[in-house]
Amino acid sequence: MHLTLEFGGGLELLLEKSIKMHKVDVQPIDGQEKVMMKGLLSWVKSNLIKERPEMFLKGDSVRPGVLVLINDCDWELCGGLDAELEEKDVVVFISTLHGVL
Amino acid sequence: MEAMAGELARLRAEREELDRRIRLLESQLEATPRSSASPAGEAIGGGGGGIGAAACPIRRRGNGFSAADGLPADMIYRYSRHLLLPDFGVEGQRKLSGSSILVVGAGGLGSPVALYLAACGVGCLGIVDGDDVELNNLHRQIIHKEAYVGLSKVKSAADACREINSSIKVVEHHHTLKPCNALEIVRNYDIVVDATDNLPTRYMISDCCVLLNKPLVSGAALGLEGQLTVYHHNGSPCYRCLFPNPPPVAACQRCSDSGVLGVVPGVIGCLQALEAIKVATDVGEPLSGRMLLFDALSARIRIVKIRGSSSVCTVCGENSAFTQDDFQEFDYENFTQSPMSDKSAPSLDLLPESDRITCKEYKRLVDNGEPHLLLDVRPAHHFQITSVSQSLNIPLSELEEKLQILETSLKETMNTSTLDKVPPLFVVCRRGNDSQLAVQLLREKGFLSAKDIIGGLQSWARDVDHDFPVY
Ligand SMILES: [Zn+2]
């Protein structure tokens, strides 16, 4: 399944060469028909995250302070970890900024 | 320079005194012949009760409109381009002039917010900040001028706003917003703009706005990115609905502080001013329940839908037991494990005394020509800004994989000296936190001569080399 993944707010620093946008092909976990957010998170952890995975994940979800958006919509409104992804979906992971005054 | 600054300050004080006297005379003049007219704008906006000394007492005549519907001629002229907007018009301008807005933070975000709100004729503009203007603020905090370096940011910002629009009320709050003073200050305003730079203050302002039921226009900018949303308005979430738990501290206490391109907070600040105006005038669709994400590098703006107010939120939820008393007692720095201000940023204390030396001790050892190796663990782009001569740069993040380089350098240092043992290895960074982490790592890896230079290059510039550039 082809997905576009985007990382922002500093999360890109955890990836190789700090690249923000990734076009990827993710397969469902064995026995499942669709790619779920839960599966995508572990796929990202094993395939994209290069350092400090604890700055991305906590337990089986994202760490506090990270917003997840599926097609520009808060994943909390789409089922969170159980959200099912569709071909060509865009998933954005963004860390909240506190800022430099 | 100093004499000029002094003269400027003196002239400004004189002008202010004159302004004060003019206002006084004006009000006396006005009060005499037309005692029947009620003060304009008084009835508009819900600034809340309790108008204390620091309050926003409201709505000077100069800015407002007469009780009848007509606008004073000078106001029609000043705001004509607003009045010509069919969607905004007289009604919008009237609401704006009757509203009071508090800007928390007179920095990179707060600068354009305050400037635009002043220029567009908001009735009462409050500015709260406890810091002074510093030279390294000026590239992004465009409200401040060189002449104000060393003076209070609030004073500087308020003066700038008054210069642009003398008909509005500007209230100066010369202190950092804290749980002990926030309720009292925020109470007097209709809308709050969060233009601050740190996590504990963001939670605090959000909680305060929920308790006092004020819409919160929240913006943030860092590096080349910005974020913006309106919390606690039209069913939108509060900060805690979105982020019930604070993020982990990791990386927060590192010396490698982040930069920001000056115009990025400028863009976000302008949008905050816009949202504040929309909320104040009830014109258009405010950015509530949605969040704007700005990526300057790729020139992308994304507007996303976010969750609504959570029924189980500990502060704004249905069964919230969070009271104003709880608020005043709440330890936001402890909750987020991060400081409310840069200045109170705690320094790490990881190492025994014997593994550390002061900058002065290090200088003495250099002067005595004692063989050693100086390792600078700042990121490479920091090292490019400035460095101490003869130091080796291996960023902390790469240290573990580059121990070999260090090993080689130590051997070279040993060979070129008369030492028959491993030479001392001193580790420095910007402020003395990363260097401790590095020494800890190095000692674990068998580099037993590693010592931390206390306080980093910041102390070096303060205590040893006054010409060393600070950044
Ligand atoms: Zn809430």
Side-chain angles (χ1 to χ4, degrees), chain B residues 282-299:
Chain B
D282 206 12
V283 165
E285 291 169 62
L287 197 67
S288 47
R290 294 181 295 158
M291 183 179 278
L292 182 147
L293 309 170
F294 173 57
D295 183 357
L297 214 51
S298 60

Side-chain angles (χ1 to χ4, degrees), chain B residues 91-112:
Chain B
E91 193 53 30
Q93 193 63 42
R94 187 194 311 284
K95 282 181 179 162
L96 204 52
S97 78
S99 70
S100 54
I101 303 182
L102 179 69
V103 180
V104 188
L109 296 164
S111 288

Side-chain angles (χ1 to χ4, degrees), chain B residues 251-299:
Chain B
C252 290
Q253 284 184 351
R254 306 278 287 269
C255 303
S256 40
D257 301 346
S258 319
V260 63
L261 194 73
V263 66
V264 175
V267 169
I268 298 297
C270 286
L271 290 169
Q272 282 184 281
L274 175 62
E275 289 306 315
I277 291 168
K278 282 160 64 184
V279 173
T281 57
D282 206 12
V283 165
E285 291 169 62
L287 197 67
S288 47
R290 294 181 295 158
M291 183 179 278
L292 182 147
L293 309 170
F294 173 57
D295 183 357
L297 214 51
S298 60

